[in-house]
Amino acid sequence: MEFVNPKLVINGISTEMDERILRRHFNAYGEIKHVVVYFSKAIAFVTFVDPSKAQIALQQQQHIILGRKLNNQVEVRPAKPKVEIVKRKIFVGGLPRSITNEEFKGYFEKFGSIVDAVVIHDKETKRSRGFGFVTYEAEESANLVLRTNFHLLNNKRVEVKKVTPRQEMVPSGFEFRPYYYDPYYQTYFYVVWVPIPGFY
């Protein structure tokens, strides 16, 4: 049986397009299960109770919200199933502490179109924790990066690895680190990463 994704991605939303506004608009196509909005990323996820209703919304040539034609300014497309995210997401360790998100993304977007790139910072100090994650549109782009274990970023060698959902890696009742909860995809990622003495 063919998988029909009930979730849509809305890229490029404005700050006026909150959860209430998006729910009201897409509810015209079918009952909405939930809406998640990330204004910092200008992106939202809309999940329908009935997957077929998501397909109906996709077939609509124009979506107009608050007087804006989404087709001209905002992209509406099917969300990629979480099982695919693992194949497109990489872990980057040993980052220079001074690196910015822009520099981080700028380097890795040379390998392909990026969905998300983030340097992880300490919540209290706001300083980089020395690692980050990159999610590509295509698995081929991630594989291209992974052909080389080490990359030179801001004159410092960094290590790249695949990530795997934590729930698939860690037995029930155990806790292993480093693991990372990604609110963008609402799931945990866990990576087996062994620091090399003297490397970082």
Side-chain angles (χ1 to χ4, degrees):
M1 184 176 179
E2 183 181 356
F3 172 76
V4 180
N5 198 340
K7 181 182 289 187
L8 301 181
V9 178
I10 298 88
N11 280 316
I13 64 170
S14 65
T15 54
E16 296 86 5
M17 296 180 188
D18 58 18
E19 177 183 346
R20 179 180 58 85
I21 294 296
L22 291 173
R23 181 181 291 274
R24 184 174 64 187
H25 174 79
F26 286 100
N27 195 59
Y29 300 95
E31 184 180 355
I32 302 299
K33 185 175 182 179
H34 52 73
V35 177
V36 180
V37 180
Y38 298 101
F39 288 117
S40 62
K41 299 178 183 292
I43 195 171
F45 296 91
V46 176
T47 304
F48 288 84
V49 173
D50 183 349
S52 67
K53 303 303 182 183
Q55 302 306 305
I56 294 175
L58 283 173
Q59 292 170 5
Q60 180 70 28
Q61 292 185 351
Q62 287 188 343
H63 287 276
I64 301 178
I65 301 179
L66 299 178
R68 297 177 59 187
K69 293 182 180 180
L70 299 196
N71 291 65
N72 293 340
Q73 300 168 339
V74 180
E75 177 191 13
V76 179
R77 59 180 172 82
K80 292 183 179 294
K82 288 184 179 181
V83 65
E84 293 186 4
I85 295 171
V86 176
K87 300 178 181 179
R88 299 181 288 112
K89 187 164 188 172
I90 63 172
F91 168 89
V92 186
L95 290 174
R97 297 290 179 178
S98 61
I99 194 169
T100 65
N101 278 320
E102 290 73 20
E103 292 171 330
F104 182 64
K105 181 178 180 180
Y107 175 81
F108 286 101
E109 67 183 0
K110 296 185 298 184
F111 298 92
S113 179
I114 288 177
V115 173
D116 186 48
V118 59
V119 176
I120 306 303
H121 292 81
D122 185 276
K123 292 182 178 180
E124 295 182 359
T125 66
K126 308 301 181 183
R127 294 184 59 190
S128 167
R129 295 177 61 186
F131 68 94
F133 296 88
V134 180
T135 305
Y136 286 96
E137 284 280 358
E139 180 183 354
E140 292 76 14
S141 299
N143 289 338
L144 187 60
V145 176
L146 294 168
R147 287 181 181 177
T148 304
N149 292 331
F150 299 99
H151 292 254
L152 190 64
L153 190 53
N154 284 13
N155 297 317
K156 190 175 188 298
R157 285 209 311 167
V158 299
E159 186 177 13
V160 297
K161 287 182 176 291
K162 286 185 177 181
V163 295
T164 304
R166 178 173 172 256
Q167 56 265 35
E168 294 182 5
M169 291 286 294
V170 183
S172 176
F174 289 85
E175 293 290 337
F176 292 89
R177 293 179 180 270
Y179 62 84
Y180 170 64
Y181 179 76
D182 191 332
Y184 185 80
Y185 293 111
Q186 301 175 5
T187 190
Y188 281 94
F189 289 92
Y190 174 76
V191 61
V192 179
W193 176 41
V194 180
I196 302 174
F199 176 72
Y200 298 107

